[in-house]
């Protein structure tokens, strides 16, 4: 069940570029008694690690991940995976899925993780409500400017073409952290919208931010940032990641 759920969540971060089929699929690394599930469209990146019994280290792809992820969820609580160069078989007590594997190289994404030094803890329900309020005011780029203020994030959406503007605030608890640069951690990595808008301590695609928040199961959201976040990725995770 966890595996299927993670694949479905990862599918929301896949791309649509047919020239790069590896970005349309979910990538799975199985080794050291765990599986690492990853997906990216180059603007948003998903990673989730789950414990597993791994007899032999393998890397493979899950194509059509939204559909297959949902199907994995009905196979049973425990599934087994067999991999060849061309096929992936996923078998549970209620059935089996056979899918095509890909012969492609997934991006070596670990190097893009910076050293995060600041973390903001927010309530998911409040953050989701703020995002919903801003959506009618988005411009064509779906851009939101985020200002880091004392004890709160101020979020601004502006559509100058239609003379629309909206600001909302979300309270946070701030922590000082120190992550390891170049080390991937579970959660969502979002790239900022560099040069698209002049305002804000950072600028993001609000729909990508909404996607990320939806992958979190509990009511705490952890935002991790670098000291100057305007041009570096933002990491988003839940309580247990």
């Amino acid at each position: 069940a966890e595996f299927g759920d993670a694949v479905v969540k990862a599918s929301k971060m896949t791309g649509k570029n047919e020239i790069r089929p590896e970005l349309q699929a979910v990538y799975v690394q199985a080794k050291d008694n765990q599986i690492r599930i990853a997906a990216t469209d180059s603007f948003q990146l998903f990673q989730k690690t789950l414990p597993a019994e791994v007899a032999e280290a393998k890397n493979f792809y899950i194509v059509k991940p939204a559909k297959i992820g949902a199907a994995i969820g009905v196979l049973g609580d425990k599934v087994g995976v067999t991999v060849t160069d061309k096929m992936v078989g996923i078998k549970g007590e209620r059935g089996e899925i056979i899918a095509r594997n890909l012969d492609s190289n997934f991006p070596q994404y670990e190097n893009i993780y910076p050293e995060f030094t600041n973390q903001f803890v927010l309530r998911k329900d409040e953050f989701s409500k703020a995002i919903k309020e801003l959506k009618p005011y988005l411009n064509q780029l779906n851009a939101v400017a985020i200002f880091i203020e004392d004890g709160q994030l101020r979020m601004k959406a502006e559509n100058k073409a239609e003379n629309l503007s909206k600001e909302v605030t979300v309270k946070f608890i701030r922590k000082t952290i120190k992550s390891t640069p170049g080390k991937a951690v579970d959660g969502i990595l979002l790239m900022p919208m560099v040069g698209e808008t002049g305002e804000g301590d950072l600028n993001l695609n609000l729909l990508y931010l909404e996607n990320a928040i939806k992958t979190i199961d509990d009511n705490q959201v952890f935002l991790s940032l670098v000291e100057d976040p305007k041009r570096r990725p933002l990491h988003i995770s839940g309580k247990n990641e």
Side-chain angles (χ1 to χ4, degrees), residues 134-198:
L134 290 173
K135 286 175 73 174
Y137 299 86
L138 291 174
N139 59 20
Q140 290 183 331
L141 298 172
N142 300 316
V144 60
I146 299 178
F147 303 83
I148 301 170
E149 299 179 343
D150 187 19
Q152 68 178 20
L153 296 182
R154 178 165 56 92
M155 304 168 65
K156 179 181 179 181
E158 185 174 20
N159 187 330
K160 293 181 179 179
E162 298 186 22
N163 197 28
L164 297 173
S165 180
K166 175 76 172 179
E167 290 191 10
V168 296
T169 59
V170 185
K171 294 180 180 178
F172 63 70
I173 297 172
R174 186 170 189 159
K175 298 180 178 181
T176 299
I177 62 170
K178 187 174 183 179
S179 69
T180 303
K183 181 180 179 181
V185 290
D186 286 357
I188 309 296
L189 206 63
L190 291 186
M191 301 303 295
M193 300 181 72
V194 178
E196 302 293 357
T197 132

Side-chain angles (χ1 to χ4, degrees), residues 11 13 27-28 37 65 106 142 146 152 170 202 214 225 234:
S11 72
M13 310 292 159
Y27 181 61
V28 182
I37 300 150
F106 197 75
N142 300 316
I146 299 178
Q152 68 178 20
V170 185
L202 70 154
K214 286 181 177 179
L225 297 91
L234 161 76

